[in-house]
Amino acid sequence: MAIEGFDYQGFAQELASQAGDLLPADFQEFQKTYVINTIKNFATLCGEAIYNDETANFNVDQGMLITQIIAEWSFHKSVDLIKAGIIPDYWDSVMQKIAFTIFEIGKQTITKGLPQDEILQIVEHHVKKAYQAALEELQERKAIDSEVFEKATHQSNIDDMMEQLQKQKAELNANTESQVQEKGHQSSSKILKLASVALILKQISQDKVQTILNKFDTHDAQTVIQYMQMPDLEKKLDKDITMRCLKEIKISLPEPKYISADKILLRMKKVFEKLPKDNIERIITKERPNVKAFIEKAYIGECSPMPSKVASIIAQHLEENVL
């Protein structure tokens, strides 16, 4: 049975489009086109195979996970091939081996129910093995010389990206310790905030990710996508710095202009479940009549006319008495 709601073609197109803005600026147009087309083709083939696989019985999230893994590694390893100086004639053969490896290992690990972090680690291990084996085969066939082989072996776009992140992290720490000019600190802080956002977005479904990224500045969204494509991002980010960044983001978020009555009633219902009615009456005994009326109606599940901001303050006041 096909996976209901899994639009693998649209997803593959979206992944390929995201990669376009992350390509090295010095790539020629045909090189950029190759990377983007490779991502789209392999992601589409993977998605179609999963979509029609009645034995695997994957759900939408699992189908999107393995498709995204193939897309991400297709990006990194095709960039590595180009940077290493391997001629285009051999790109497809290497990439096909890598994509097949990811598909098989991805299916096996997901079927076993392994956690996502472990899946990514295992896939990365096998990607490196498949890439190395493909390079050795090219060298044995004398398709590449020893110099190109060495360069390709040590070429790692994903490691380059991680090194960049580490430099930015070190810069932030240095700025904090030495209290250098505020402008420089803000620049580094912003990078880590975007990386922290990427860490959070990696944990939610792709359709929600795109909705969130649409609210970002284009350049910032591209940076977030770049960090999301790092399989071991959570290992590279310092936990304390990440939590600090996320707290700063939360503080800077604007207050909602409107809070629905349903949300207010839900908050107050939770308070009523924890506080006896006598305690609530004692708390509001000196309140103004309209506040008392609002709370009394909320107790029976009704919402009196009240500005949402004021209603939220009343709910917060009651919540504080539960703590």
Side-chain angles (χ1 to χ4, degrees), residues 86-108:
I86 294 176
I87 63 173
D89 295 10
Y90 305 117
W91 293 349
D92 280 348
S93 64
V94 176
M95 293 308 303
Q96 286 166 5
K97 288 181 175 66
I98 291 172
F100 178 78
T101 297
I102 296 172
F103 183 74
E104 291 301 317
I105 298 300
K107 279 184 62 177
Q108 292 173 24

Side-chain angles (χ1 to χ4, degrees), residues 4 11 21 41 44 46 48 75 82 95 135 142 150 220 223 238-239 256 263 278 290 320:
E4 184 177 354
F11 187 43
D21 296 319
N41 292 339
T44 301
C46 170
E48 183 178 15
F75 172 79
I82 295 171
M95 293 308 303
L135 294 177
K142 301 190 182 303
E150 286 299 320
D220 290 346
T223 302
D238 181 273
K239 183 179 178 181
K263 287 185 177 180
D278 291 345
N290 61 334
E320 289 171 350

Side-chain angles (χ1 to χ4, degrees), residues 278-289 291-292 295-296 317:
D278 291 345
N279 288 17
I280 295 172
E281 290 176 347
R282 186 170 62 255
I283 292 170
I284 66 174
T285 184
K286 295 183 179 180
E287 294 290 349
R288 289 166 293 176
V291 174
K292 288 182 180 179
I295 294 174
E296 288 169 355
H317 174 60

Side-chain angles (χ1 to χ4, degrees), residues 259 261 263-272 275 291 294-295 298 306 308-322:
I259 305 172
K263 287 185 177 180
I264 296 295
L265 287 175
L266 181 60
R267 288 170 59 188
M268 297 185 73
K269 180 182 177 182
K270 291 179 179 179
V271 173
F272 298 148
L275 277 180
V291 174
F294 177 80
I295 294 174
M306 178 80 71
S308 62
K309 186 68 176 178
V310 176
S312 180
I313 292 173
I314 295 173
Q316 183 178 352
H317 174 60
L318 290 177
E319 288 167 342
E320 289 171 350
N321 281 276
V322 176

Side-chain angles (χ1 to χ4, degrees), residues 43-317:
T44 301
L45 289 171
C46 170
E48 183 178 15
I50 293 296
Y51 182 81
N52 294 315
D53 191 338
E54 296 183 357
T55 60
N57 198 29
F58 285 173
N59 59 35
V60 175
D61 289 338
Q62 291 170 325
M64 293 179 74
L65 173 60
I66 188 170
T67 303
Q68 185 164 354
I69 292 173
I70 279 190
E72 291 176 358
W73 279 111
S74 295
F75 172 79
H76 291 303
K77 300 320 289 182
S78 56
V79 168
D80 286 345
L81 289 174
I82 295 171
K83 284 185 174 181
I86 294 176
I87 63 173
D89 295 10
Y90 305 117
W91 293 349
D92 280 348
S93 64
V94 176
M95 293 308 303
Q96 286 166 5
K97 288 181 175 66
I98 291 172
F100 178 78
T101 297
I102 296 172
F103 183 74
E104 291 301 317
I105 298 300
K107 279 184 62 177
Q108 292 173 24
T109 52
I110 291 173
T111 301
K112 290 178 180 178
L114 298 180
Q116 184 170 320
D117 288 350
E118 191 171 343
I119 292 173
L120 295 176
Q121 290 175 11
I122 295 172
V123 168
E124 181 175 5
H125 170 73
H126 285 278
V127 165
K128 290 178 178 179
K129 282 183 62 177
Y131 179 65
Q132 183 68 23
L135 294 177
E136 290 172 355
E137 182 181 331
L138 289 177
Q139 187 181 39
E140 289 172 3
R141 292 165 46 197
K142 301 190 182 303
I144 58 175
D145 58 26
S146 57
E147 183 179 348
V148 173
F149 174 80
E150 286 299 320
K151 185 175 182 180
T153 299
H154 295 95
Q155 184 68 51
S156 177
N157 185 64
I158 191 169
D159 287 344
D160 291 343
M161 291 171 62
M162 295 312 306
E163 183 179 350
Q164 179 187 7
L165 179 61
Q166 287 298 313
K167 287 180 179 178
Q168 290 160 349
K169 173 183 167 183
E171 182 184 349
L172 176 61
N173 288 335
N175 285 347
T176 302
E177 292 171 4
S178 59
Q179 297 183 338
V180 295
Q181 293 182 349
E182 183 66 19
K183 183 178 180 180
H185 172 74
Q186 289 175 345
S187 175
S188 301
S189 178
K190 182 178 181 181
I191 290 294
L192 281 178
K193 285 178 182 177
L194 293 176
S196 300
V197 169
L199 190 62
I200 299 299
L201 295 188
K202 287 184 70 172
Q203 311 303 317
I204 66 178
S205 62
Q206 187 66 29
D207 56 336
K208 294 180 180 179
V209 168
Q210 194 56 50
T211 300
I212 294 170
L213 289 179
N214 288 340
K215 301 179 184 298
F216 279 68
D217 169 82
T218 302
H219 178 73
D220 290 346
Q222 292 169 6
T223 302
V224 172
I225 293 170
Q226 184 178 18
Y227 289 131
M228 287 179 67
Q229 292 181 332
M230 298 178 184
D232 55 352
L233 176 63
E234 58 279 355
K235 293 183 179 179
K236 303 297 183 181
L237 282 174
D238 181 273
K239 183 179 178 181
D240 292 335
I241 293 179
T242 301
M243 292 304 298
R244 187 178 72 194
C245 288
L246 292 175
K247 285 180 181 178
E248 290 177 2
I249 292 172
K250 183 178 180 181
I251 291 172
S252 65
L253 290 175
E255 288 287 333
K257 295 181 179 179
Y258 173 77
I259 305 172
S260 72
D262 288 341
K263 287 185 177 180
I264 296 295
L265 287 175
L266 181 60
R267 288 170 59 188
M268 297 185 73
K269 180 182 177 182
K270 291 179 179 179
V271 173
F272 298 148
E273 290 173 349
K274 296 178 181 179
L275 277 180
K277 190 174 182 180
D278 291 345
N279 288 17
I280 295 172
E281 290 176 347
R282 186 170 62 255
I283 292 170
I284 66 174
T285 184
K286 295 183 179 180
E287 294 290 349
R288 289 166 293 176
N290 61 334
V291 174
K292 288 182 180 179
F294 177 80
I295 294 174
E296 288 169 355
K297 281 201 170 185
Y299 194 86
I300 59 175
E302 298 179 4
C303 193
S304 303
M306 178 80 71
S308 62
K309 186 68 176 178
V310 176
S312 180
I313 292 173
I314 295 173
Q316 183 178 352
H317 174 60

